[in-house]
Amino acid sequence: MALFDFFMKKIRESGTKQEKIAFSEIENFLARKTNKIEAKEKGVFVLIQKRIDTFTNELKEKIDSVEKVNIESKKVEDKIKSIVNEGREKYLESVMNFLENLENLEKNKFEEFIKEVNKIFLNFNKSSHMSYERATILIGKEMANIRESLKIFFKDLKKILDENKDLIDLPKTIFLIESKLNKITENYKIIKEVNKTTMFLDIKITKEKEEIERIQKEIEKIKKSENYIKNLEKQEMVELSKGELEKEILSLKQLINFKALANFFHIFEEQMNIVKAYKENFQTKFRKDNGKELIHLLDEAKLNNKIISEKIMQINDKEQLIIKNKQGITEDQTQELYSKTTKIILEIGNLKNEKRRVEKGREKLKASNEEMTREIKEKLKVMNIEVI
């Protein structure tokens, strides 16, 4: 077993030593580590093959010993001899199949190799158990020698596999680290695009604000113009006239004797409805027909007088004057500009919301990268690597 111990020592000596690397060096480190793992796998497979070769040679000698046992010379019933012969034949067949399966094992990936080895041993134990028991009825020592060789071989093989479990764990760890590195790189690309987007949004927001300033200056210029001031004066005059008109109409209402009108027309439903409408909503009713119905009722009831007629004429004249003044008022140019300003302000709000949305996504990506970086460092610690 000296050769076996020598190879095991060499494999253990090939283990990693603690080292410090920069985060930017992780990818190259993993590539080197993968190469070392592959080289170590080859070394382990060489060791396993040597052990298989030694085991095969040993086992073939012991198989010869089992085959040479003369069962016919045994003083037992023929039936037992037949059972033993059949058991020996099937057991040796299982052993030869076992050796053939070992020889044909692909030695590429350590994890797959271990799975196949376990499967081969399991199948052998299932297929050979009964035949072994039958053969040992008359062939004890020789059969036991084969089983002992199998036990020692399995023990040695298990030792090799157990001591090189890192060939399973490390590739998985490397794969996880590489996946996270790729994801970090992908996230950085997205973050870079987000930065371009936020820059574009900032430029657009600035331009929109500049447009608002330009419009506000244009509004101020319009407000200072002679036409705008005159137009504003006309509007104020119209509003003032409207207020005076309301007062005149209320004043007219005070001149009307609604009680006398009601007494005169109390038996006439149609006229009473008109009187009632004027009394309850005088301004609306009066403006509807410029007081024509009211004048007609007053004349019919002999309740009209010079003061009322003059007041109605004054009201109608003032109404016509308001209409005339309205016609002289031009459209306020600032209203359209104010409307544009409102739309731009809404657009700025939308742009800011979009900026907040993409920035929120960027912060999530940054947090994800920080978490993955921490996880990568933790996994590298298991490999005796400190990221600086």
Side-chain angles (χ1 to χ4, degrees), residues 197-232:
T197 301
T198 55
M199 188 181 298
F200 169 77
L201 290 172
D202 283 334
I203 292 171
K204 202 167 182 181
I205 289 169
T206 300
K207 286 183 178 180
E208 297 288 13
K209 287 181 177 179
E210 289 173 352
E211 179 63 10
I212 287 177
E213 290 179 4
R214 187 194 68 75
I215 292 173
Q216 286 176 338
K217 287 179 181 179
E218 188 175 346
I219 290 172
E220 291 303 316
K221 183 179 178 181
I222 290 171
K223 284 183 175 181
K224 291 177 181 178
S225 68
E226 185 177 349
N227 288 338
Y228 181 84
I229 293 171
K230 286 182 179 180
N231 203 50
L232 192 63

Side-chain angles (χ1 to χ4, degrees), residues 260-261 263-272 274-275 292-305:
L261 276 174
N263 288 334
F264 186 83
F265 293 108
H266 72 281
I267 61 173
F268 303 103
E269 184 179 355
E270 184 180 350
Q271 286 83 350
M272 276 300 297
I274 296 172
V275 172
K292 288 180 181 180
E293 284 188 321
L294 178 63
I295 293 170
H296 179 72
L297 292 176
L298 291 171
D299 287 342
E300 192 174 344
K302 309 295 183 183
L303 294 173
N304 199 355
N305 56 51

Side-chain angles (χ1 to χ4, degrees), residues 106-155:
E106 289 189 10
K107 301 175 181 65
N108 294 322
K109 292 295 179 183
F110 198 64
E111 185 174 9
E112 291 301 318
F113 178 80
I114 291 174
K115 289 179 182 177
E116 290 302 316
V117 166
N118 288 333
K119 188 188 293 184
I120 289 171
F121 271 99
L122 182 63
N123 290 338
F124 172 73
N125 287 333
K126 285 183 179 179
S127 65
S128 66
H129 175 72
M130 186 66 69
S131 57
Y132 178 84
E133 294 296 328
R134 289 177 177 178
T136 53
I137 295 173
L138 297 177
I139 311 172
K141 181 180 176 183
E142 292 80 357
M143 292 291 290
N145 287 339
I146 291 178
R147 174 165 280 193
E148 184 62 26
S149 292
L150 284 166
K151 285 182 179 179
I152 293 171
F153 171 72
F154 181 76
K155 182 179 178 183

Side-chain angles (χ1 to χ4, degrees), residues 356-388:
R356 280 192 292 270
R357 186 186 68 78
V358 297
E359 284 178 338
K360 187 177 180 181
R362 179 178 61 190
E363 293 308 309
K364 286 183 178 180
L365 290 174
K366 286 183 177 180
S368 176
N369 277 2
E370 289 175 2
E371 177 62 20
M372 286 190 289
T373 298
R374 184 190 64 77
E375 291 173 355
I376 287 172
K377 289 180 178 180
E378 289 296 322
K379 291 189 179 298
L380 285 171
K381 278 183 181 179
V382 178
M383 300 166 63
N384 295 323
I385 299 299
E386 181 183 354
V387 180
I388 56 175

Side-chain angles (χ1 to χ4, degrees), residues 51-52 54-56 58-60 62-63 66 91-92 94-100 102 117 120-122 124-125 127-129 132 142-158:
R51 185 65 187 91
I52 289 174
T54 303
F55 167 68
T56 301
E58 291 175 358
L59 202 59
K60 283 180 179 179
K62 293 176 181 179
I63 289 172
V66 172
Y91 182 75
L92 293 180
S94 295
V95 171
M96 294 307 293
N97 286 336
F98 172 74
L99 291 176
E100 184 180 354
L102 280 179
V117 166
I120 289 171
F121 271 99
L122 182 63
F124 172 73
N125 287 333
S127 65
S128 66
H129 175 72
Y132 178 84
E142 292 80 357
M143 292 291 290
N145 287 339
I146 291 178
R147 174 165 280 193
E148 184 62 26
S149 292
L150 284 166
K151 285 182 179 179
I152 293 171
F153 171 72
F154 181 76
K155 182 179 178 183
D156 288 347
L157 190 58
K158 187 175 184 301

Side-chain angles (χ1 to χ4, degrees), residues 123-361:
N123 290 338
F124 172 73
N125 287 333
K126 285 183 179 179
S127 65
S128 66
H129 175 72
M130 186 66 69
S131 57
Y132 178 84
E133 294 296 328
R134 289 177 177 178
T136 53
I137 295 173
L138 297 177
I139 311 172
K141 181 180 176 183
E142 292 80 357
M143 292 291 290
N145 287 339
I146 291 178
R147 174 165 280 193
E148 184 62 26
S149 292
L150 284 166
K151 285 182 179 179
I152 293 171
F153 171 72
F154 181 76
K155 182 179 178 183
D156 288 347
L157 190 58
K158 187 175 184 301
K159 183 178 181 183
I160 296 173
L161 301 180
D162 288 345
E163 291 192 2
N164 290 280
K165 280 185 178 178
D166 60 328
L167 294 176
I168 298 175
D169 298 333
L170 280 178
K172 289 180 179 178
T173 301
I174 289 172
F175 175 78
L176 288 173
I177 293 173
E178 287 177 336
S179 297
K180 290 183 185 297
L181 285 174
N182 290 335
K183 186 61 178 176
I184 288 173
T185 301
E186 183 183 335
N187 285 351
Y188 274 129
K189 288 180 181 178
I190 297 172
I191 289 170
K192 191 175 180 180
E193 291 303 313
V194 170
N195 289 338
K196 289 181 182 178
T197 301
T198 55
M199 188 181 298
F200 169 77
L201 290 172
D202 283 334
I203 292 171
K204 202 167 182 181
I205 289 169
T206 300
K207 286 183 178 180
E208 297 288 13
K209 287 181 177 179
E210 289 173 352
E211 179 63 10
I212 287 177
E213 290 179 4
R214 187 194 68 75
I215 292 173
Q216 286 176 338
K217 287 179 181 179
E218 188 175 346
I219 290 172
E220 291 303 316
K221 183 179 178 181
I222 290 171
K223 284 183 175 181
K224 291 177 181 178
S225 68
E226 185 177 349
N227 288 338
Y228 181 84
I229 293 171
K230 286 182 179 180
N231 203 50
L232 192 63
E233 288 175 352
K234 289 178 182 179
Q235 288 178 356
E236 290 174 353
M237 187 179 297
V238 167
E239 292 303 317
L240 182 64
S241 296
K242 284 181 179 180
E244 291 175 353
L245 180 62
E246 297 296 327
K247 291 178 182 178
E248 292 289 345
I249 292 173
L250 289 174
S251 174
L252 173 62
K253 183 180 180 181
Q254 302 299 320
L255 297 175
I256 305 302
N257 189 340
F258 284 102
K259 185 176 181 182
L261 276 174
N263 288 334
F264 186 83
F265 293 108
H266 72 281
I267 61 173
F268 303 103
E269 184 179 355
E270 184 180 350
Q271 286 83 350
M272 276 300 297
N273 287 335
I274 296 172
V275 172
K276 186 178 180 182
Y278 268 102
K279 186 177 181 181
E280 291 178 352
N281 201 344
F282 189 82
Q283 289 185 354
T284 302
K285 186 64 179 171
F286 183 85
R287 284 185 169 178
K288 192 173 182 180
D289 65 349
N290 293 322
K292 288 180 181 180
E293 284 188 321
L294 178 63
I295 293 170
H296 179 72
L297 292 176
L298 291 171
D299 287 342
E300 192 174 344
K302 309 295 183 183
L303 294 173
N304 199 355
N305 56 51
K306 185 178 180 181
I307 297 174
I308 291 174
S309 296
E310 288 179 354
K311 178 65 71 176
I312 290 174
M313 287 180 62
Q314 289 174 3
I315 290 171
N316 288 332
D317 289 343
K318 193 173 286 294
E319 186 75 50
Q320 292 302 314
L321 181 62
I322 290 172
I323 293 171
K324 183 179 178 180
N325 287 335
K326 276 184 178 180
Q327 292 174 347
I329 296 173
T330 59
E331 186 179 352
D332 189 347
Q333 294 177 323
T334 64
Q335 293 305 311
E336 185 178 351
L337 295 174
Y338 278 124
S339 178
K340 284 184 180 180
T341 301
T342 301
K343 290 179 181 178
I344 293 172
I345 291 171
L346 290 173
E347 178 61 19
I348 290 174
N350 292 335
L351 292 171
K352 287 181 176 179
N353 288 337
E354 176 65 11
K355 182 182 176 183
R356 280 192 292 270
R357 186 186 68 78
V358 297
E359 284 178 338
K360 187 177 180 181

